[in-house]
Amino acid sequence: MAKELLLEIGLEEMPAHVVTPSMKQLEQKTAKFLDEHQLSYDTIETFSTPRRLAIKVTNIPERQADSEEELKGPAKKIALDSDGNWTKAAEGFVRGQGLTTDDITFKELKGVEYVYVTKYTHGQPAKEVLTGLADVIKSLTFPVTMHWANFDFEYIRPIHWIVALLDDEVIPFEILDVTTDRTSRGHRFLGETVRFAHANEYEEKLQEQFVIAAPHKRKEMIVQQATELAEKNHWTIDLDEKLLEEVNNLVEYPTVFAGDFEEKYLSVPEEVLVTSMKEHQRYFEVRNDQGLLLPHFISARNGDRVKLENVIRGNQKVLTARLEDAEFFYNEDKKIPIETFVDKLKSVTFHEKIGSIYEKMQRVQVIARILGKSVGLSPEELTDLQRAAEIYKFDLVTNMVGEFPELQGIMGEKYARLHGETSAVATAIKEHYLPISSEGDLPETKIGAVLAIADKLDSIFSFFTVGMIPSGSNDPYALRRQAYGIVRIIEAKNWAFPLSVLQETISEVISKDTDRFGIALSAGQQVIDFIKGRLRQLLITKNIRHDIIEAVLNSEQKDLTKIFATAQLFKKHLADEDFKPSMEALTRVVNLAKKAELEKQSEVEPDLFENEAEKELYKAVEAMKTSFADQTINENYDQLVSLRPLIENYFDQTMVMAKEPEVRKNRLTQLSQIATIALSLASLDQIITK
């Protein structure tokens, strides 16, 4: 007869961001446990609140199915001695399986006879097997843990109760000083202790004690109540999914309410108000039908509607205090010139081994100017870029960003506009932080994009210069994310970006004046490889084959954008009929050309040619050498592929490794020239054609 399993872990309140991942982890590890212990089931339903993680599993059999397993032992010649008696090897094998030598049979496998036994296992009762759920509970992992009382065991929060039922029977096990039972706890303030006579009573009994255990049902309650409240007041609300998830994981019984704040605070930038409400208080902002912010907010309490007016007043009081501070900071910041803030940055450390933020800004001015000219900004754009680079970090020392760090860049843009900076400069100050996550929004303006790259390049160059290079999972300054941001911006803008050339130019300029710039940048090849590693990461997201990625990354191409374009080009041509034979022909050239290093010769000497195939290939390569640098990647690819019949004819008629040294050197040099041209596109010998 199939049964229902209920498992609930009762805890102190967990941080909201931990609840959902922990619930999913409990589901996955329980499913794995059941599979490994031969207990079938139909469904696993998950539940979670700040105080509990739970699962309900349907249709679990009363006991494991009986199993039969055929096991292979030693070869017959090892199992029997010369007199036909069982050896210690045979006896040890069967003893390890709980059997005797009477159970042995012989079977032939690939011409050799081996010992075999059949082991029958009687399935255990499910209730006994499920005591192993204690290990499932203990195996859950969390971003932070704590220990309590005198226990060495660590968990996200102290465990207060465990419910473990198989239908109406308690599954007996212990974790620390907590023994499984059928007793749970209701809402901390509104509910009482609850006992489950059967596993199927879980949701219903908890709801009677003001706990909505299913997170999707709580979320539906919040959305429905908030929508009704907005419609009643003719408001527009955006129930941000991330905030909704967080609020949902802060409550067990949600009741939505609306609060107000004074209209005078609407004079403060909208971003400040929204940040105060959303990030600090977990409120949803309210707007009119034109999208303008209104002096109201919506939130959810963990409880019912009793004395809700007191809750509203309390929340309004807390928010007002925050907005009062924000208004004061905003008004004070407006009085201070930008140059005063910039000067303060001289005493703000970027990193003790690197110097101040002011010195970083001095370096970024140089980097931005070099990059701006490289990507073709106009004189007017370069002027705006220079001004943005001179001041772009100034808001870090404003009162507002000191109170609301989330607003760095945003307040920089606001204050820059108030102080008369151009729109391009103000926008670049905000955009230089982008992208703020691996797949976050990119800068839209050219000036913002150049400043963003310059700032990130400086961070990478600086940390590499002082030997603080990410290793393994250790990347405290998010240099991988910053490098990935660089390659994403370059890809989006399709700018030429010869990284090694730019790095050399930047290092040369900055190293001439370490008093101004703080350090001399000397990161070298490690930086090139590091940023190419992020380019590899980007190419993987484009579903480009691994061998193609390695081929283009190991080319002699210095321009990151051309590397990216070449990878896309090879991906496009993979299915071409002539792709495989062309790559095979060129790879043969590349492999033979490696031997040219041993017998160096600078130029091909046509006088040493002995057949027409050599002459035809020479003419084609000479024509290619004159045009290759000025052509598009597509044209270069087509030209390389067009060499295939000439190469095949060449190998048919020519013995490359000729006995005569001069002839051999000449032929290897000819192939080496082709390989060098090919290597500017990709390391073709890394492309798999089989």
Side-chain angles (χ1 to χ4, degrees), residues 101-126:
T101 52
D102 294 338
D103 299 303
I104 288 178
T105 58
F106 294 105
K107 287 188 180 180
E108 187 176 301
L109 180 65
K110 295 181 179 179
V112 179
E113 282 194 286
Y114 288 90
V115 165
Y116 278 86
V117 293
T118 302
K119 184 177 180 180
Y120 299 93
T121 303
H122 190 55
Q124 289 182 288

Side-chain angles (χ1 to χ4, degrees), residues 273-559:
L273 302 180
V274 172
T275 298
S276 295
M277 289 187 281
K278 182 179 287 187
E279 303 294 334
H280 293 205
Q281 300 302 127
R282 309 317 188 250
Y283 301 158
F284 298 95
E285 77 265 24
V286 170
R287 300 179 184 273
N288 63 18
D289 54 5
Q290 277 83 47
L292 298 176
L293 195 66
L294 295 175
H296 314 291
F297 63 87
I298 287 177
S299 188
R301 75 173 294 190
N302 184 24
D304 58 13
R305 305 195 72 81
V306 175
K307 296 187 178 180
L308 188 60
E309 62 279 1
N310 292 343
V311 175
I312 295 171
R313 279 196 298 271
N315 279 270
Q316 290 177 164
K317 185 176 180 179
V318 172
L319 180 61
T320 297
R322 281 202 167 276
L323 298 185
E324 191 73 27
D325 287 344
E327 183 185 42
F328 174 77
F329 294 146
Y330 181 59
N331 290 331
E332 288 299 302
D333 286 340
K334 288 192 295 183
K335 299 174 186 176
I336 303 172
I338 288 177
E339 305 306 329
T340 301
F341 288 126
V342 171
D343 196 56
K344 285 184 178 181
L345 291 171
K346 293 177 180 178
S347 59
V348 179
T349 301
F350 174 63
H351 189 278
E352 59 183 5
K353 292 185 177 181
I354 298 172
S356 68
I357 292 179
Y358 182 83
E359 288 169 327
K360 175 181 176 62
M361 290 169 62
Q362 297 299 302
R363 296 191 300 273
V364 168
Q365 289 174 47
V366 172
I367 298 170
R369 183 166 59 250
I370 291 170
L371 294 181
K373 290 178 180 179
S374 175
V375 303
L377 295 190
S378 68
E380 294 78 11
E381 289 170 331
L382 287 171
T383 299
D384 282 334
L385 176 62
Q386 174 64 26
R387 178 56 182 167
E390 289 172 356
I391 66 173
Y392 75 105
K393 291 287 189 183
F394 81 90
D395 66 338
L396 293 180
V397 287
T398 61
N399 293 295
M400 188 69 82
V401 172
E403 180 69 14
F404 301 98
E406 308 94 328
L407 295 176
Q408 54 188 283
I410 294 171
M411 293 314 301
E413 180 197 27
K414 299 289 182 188
Y415 291 146
R417 292 183 188 277
L418 285 172
H419 285 281
E421 301 292 342
T422 66
S423 177
V425 169
T427 301
I429 290 171
K430 180 180 71 173
E431 289 187 331
H432 91 268
Y433 284 103
L434 302 178
I436 57 175
S437 63
S438 61
E439 300 302 326
D441 293 336
L442 299 175
E444 293 183 4
T445 68
K446 289 190 286 185
I447 296 172
V450 171
L451 187 58
I453 295 172
D455 179 71
K456 292 170 176 58
L457 270 182
D458 174 73
S459 294
I460 295 167
F461 287 171
S462 299
F463 280 110
F464 270 67
T465 295
V466 298
M468 301 183 71
I469 302 171
S471 60
S473 61
N474 182 37
D475 187 11
Y477 302 102
L479 300 184
R480 290 190 183 96
R481 177 173 60 77
Q482 293 188 63
Y484 191 61
I486 290 171
V487 298
R488 285 188 62 217
I489 294 170
I490 293 167
E491 181 217 350
K493 295 299 183 186
N494 198 33
W495 283 334
F497 204 83
L499 179 58
S500 58
V501 176
L502 292 169
Q503 183 195 23
E504 187 176 332
T505 305
I506 291 165
S507 297
E508 183 180 343
V509 174
I510 289 177
S511 297
K512 289 178 181 178
D513 191 354
T514 55
D515 289 340
R516 176 189 173 192
F517 300 121
I519 59 172
L521 300 180
S522 57
Q525 187 61 37
Q526 283 181 303
V527 163
I528 307 295
D529 295 339
F530 181 73
I531 294 177
K532 277 190 173 183
R534 309 289 74 75
L535 181 55
R536 176 185 287 107
Q537 181 183 344
L538 181 64
L539 291 171
I540 289 170
T541 68
K542 307 295 183 182
N543 294 320
I544 294 173
R545 234 169 57 182
H546 174 76
D547 58 316
I548 299 295
I549 293 174
E550 295 309 313
V552 297
L553 288 179
N554 287 289
S555 71
E556 290 295 326
Q557 178 58 254
K558 300 182 187 302
D559 188 338

